[in-house]
Amino acid sequence: MKSLNSGELYAWVTKKYQDQNIEIERETISFLIENIGNDLLRLNQEIEKSIDFAGESRRVSLELISEL
């Protein structure tokens, strides 16, 4: 299985949040990718966890990602 390049990875993460109607800033997505890399399974787990923690605000911030 080939790994995604940085542009594809960014688009994949962005789509995951958009599909759940979650607001997230570009710098937060970049931070997430920089800290996890291109491990899609781990990225997906962290995305799901951050969505759960966002709750009713429907917004994932850099601070939330940092805390998790």
Side-chain angles (χ1 to χ4, degrees), residues 3 5 8-9 12 14 19 23 27 29 34 37 42 50 55 57-60 63-64 68:
S3 60
N5 69 37
E8 292 169 327
L9 196 56
W12 184 83
T14 301
D19 287 350
E23 180 185 329
E27 66 183 24
I29 293 173
E34 286 171 18
R42 184 151 175 248
S50 66
S57 74
R58 309 305 293 166
R59 183 172 190 282
V60 172
E63 293 79 22
L64 177 67
L68 296 177

Side-chain angles (χ1 to χ4, degrees), residues 12-67:
W12 184 83
V13 172
T14 301
K15 181 164 176 22
K16 287 291 206 178
Y17 282 108
Q18 286 176 342
D19 287 350
Q20 297 295 318
N21 296 317
I22 297 291
E23 180 185 329
I24 186 167
E25 294 179 0
R26 291 176 190 258
E27 66 183 24
T28 306
I29 293 173
S30 295
F31 178 82
L32 184 64
I33 292 170
E34 286 171 18
N35 284 283
I36 295 177
N38 64 354
D39 180 341
L40 296 182
L41 179 61
R42 184 151 175 248
L43 264 174
N44 193 57
Q45 290 171 335
E46 293 301 318
I47 290 167
E48 289 181 6
K49 184 170 33 171
S50 66
I51 290 170
D52 288 344
F53 275 85
E56 292 183 15
S57 74
R58 309 305 293 166
R59 183 172 190 282
V60 172
S61 66
L62 186 58
E63 293 79 22
L64 177 67
I65 295 292
S66 296
E67 288 175 19

